[in-house]
Amino acid sequence: RLLALLREEKSQFASQMSEVHSTHEVERRQWEATLEDYKLRTKEMQIEEAKTQTRLRETSEAKLRATLQSEALKERQKLLEDHAVEIRGLEETIEDIKTAPESSAREDTDDIIK
């Protein structure tokens, strides 16, 4: 009779161990799935962060290019204005020479050349 009780207890213990093992495997798979999901979400966040950094860099570069182009345009405009002033001055000098008496024109021309 004691032997039968031991066999029954052994059978119940084996059944419980099988159930524990099965539960452990289910939980292990759930944790693995959770971990894989976490890894996937982390990777997606890294990709989004990289995209954001790229957009920020591109925006910064575009702003810098626009600023440089604007400054270059202002510089060109200033040069054009300076050239226009110089040309007007030369034209006025030429007009003055044309309208001045002959001897005075030669002196003015000599002054310009010097």
Side-chain angles (χ1 to χ4, degrees):
R1 172 166 159 85
L2 187 55
L3 194 56
L5 284 173
L6 284 174
R7 284 186 188 139
E8 179 63 30
E9 201 172 295
K10 182 179 176 183
S11 174
Q12 287 176 357
F13 181 74
S15 176
Q16 289 173 349
M17 285 303 292
S18 176
E19 190 176 317
V20 166
H21 179 69
S22 177
T23 301
H24 171 74
E25 282 300 309
V26 168
E27 288 178 354
R28 186 182 61 77
R29 284 188 209 114
Q30 288 174 341
W31 279 109
E32 284 176 351
T34 300
L35 179 61
E36 288 303 314
D37 184 52
Y38 175 77
K39 287 178 182 178
L40 180 62
R41 282 187 280 128
T42 301
K43 190 66 142 174
E44 289 171 349
M45 288 181 354
Q46 289 171 341
I47 290 169
E48 285 303 313
E49 178 67 22
K51 287 179 182 179
T52 301
Q53 291 297 325
T54 299
R55 284 191 297 270
L56 287 172
R57 187 182 67 251
E58 289 170 350
T59 300
S60 178
E61 289 170 354
K63 182 179 177 183
L64 179 60
R65 276 192 304 274
T67 300
L68 292 174
Q69 288 173 348
S70 175
E71 289 174 3
L73 185 60
K74 288 176 185 175
E75 183 64 27
R76 276 184 251 140
Q77 185 64 33
K78 175 77 170 106
L79 286 173
L80 285 173
E81 290 171 4
D82 291 348
H83 288 313
V85 167
E86 287 179 35
I87 290 171
R88 277 194 298 277
L90 291 172
E91 287 172 344
E92 289 172 1
T93 302
I94 291 170
E95 276 304 311
D96 289 346
I97 292 171
K98 285 181 182 177
T99 58
E102 188 69 27
S103 64
S104 174
R106 282 196 187 114
E107 291 172 12
D108 288 343
T109 304
D110 290 342
D111 288 343
I112 291 172
I113 292 173
K114 290 179 185 178

